[in-house]
Amino acid sequence: MNKVMTRTAQRHATSRPPTRRDTRRPGGSPPRPRGAAPIRTTPTATRPAVPQLRPIDLFADRLLLVLSGQRPVHAMLRHTAGPAYDDLARLAEDGPLRARGPRPVIRDIGYFEPRPGAIEAFARIGTGNRLRAMAFRLELGRDHRWRCTAVELGGPRPRTTDDN
């Protein structure tokens, strides 16, 4: 069975469909020539590229916020593995970067990759005229997420009776 569809209203080829009148813009937009490409406000070639943050930058910021008391320790719970969370909780309890005056900021970050999937990083933290050192290790898990596996602040951690 063949169906024939007919149009009830024929449009002329030279007429344009009615345009939407936007009440928020009193003048509306100027009409575009027929067949013209859509107008872009920002060309793709001149858009500034957003720099991708490295995992060491993100973790250094997160660790600094916890150690300075701006974030709670449990904010790092899913970002740490092994004894690193206990070390971080012990460090944050002392509040080593909590100080009156200027907030601590990261001045410099460096890193070393001992093997693929592992990064050992350091950060210089400045609070006014004082500089502190923070070191941490990141490892890539099976789920392709970086986790902190060790953290130290201002020197090696004190040995406990568990460390032999």
Side-chain angles (χ1 to χ4, degrees):
M1 177 164 117
N2 293 333
K3 289 188 177 182
V4 176
M5 305 214 40
T6 59
R7 293 184 181 168
T8 56
Q10 293 289 330
R11 290 189 186 168
H12 299 292
T14 58
S15 68
R16 292 179 53 192
T19 58
R20 182 174 156 241
R21 179 95 173 135
D22 193 349
T23 58
R24 294 174 290 177
R25 292 193 288 171
S29 60
R32 288 188 306 219
R34 190 171 197 178
I39 298 172
R40 293 182 183 246
T41 56
T42 306
T44 55
T46 61
R47 287 186 187 157
V50 177
Q52 292 290 334
L53 290 178
R54 301 172 297 183
I56 56 172
D57 297 321
L58 294 172
F59 274 90
D61 286 336
R62 288 176 181 159
L63 289 170
L64 178 64
L65 290 173
V66 169
L67 292 173
S68 65
Q70 298 175 42
R71 294 261 192 248
V73 179
H74 67 265
M76 290 296 293
L77 188 58
R78 60 183 235 178
H79 302 290
T80 56
Y85 182 77
D86 297 331
D87 293 341
L88 182 61
R90 197 173 306 117
L91 284 171
E93 194 175 286
D94 297 336
L97 297 177
R98 292 182 192 163
R100 298 186 186 269
R103 284 187 172 180
V105 294
I106 296 174
R107 299 269 175 102
D108 187 25
I109 296 178
Y111 67 98
F112 171 71
E113 291 186 47
R115 63 174 174 81
I119 298 174
E120 293 179 353
F122 71 89
R124 290 186 188 108
I125 301 169
T127 308
N129 293 335
R130 187 172 184 190
L131 278 178
R132 303 281 305 258
M134 176 175 65
F136 55 97
R137 180 180 173 93
L138 301 177
E139 293 188 13
L140 191 62
R142 291 182 181 166
D143 57 353
H144 301 285
R145 291 179 49 196
W146 290 97
R147 287 191 175 78
C148 183
T149 56
V151 62
E152 293 178 0
L153 185 68
R157 62 185 168 159
R159 296 190 63 103
T160 59
T161 57
D162 297 339
D163 297 337
N164 289 331

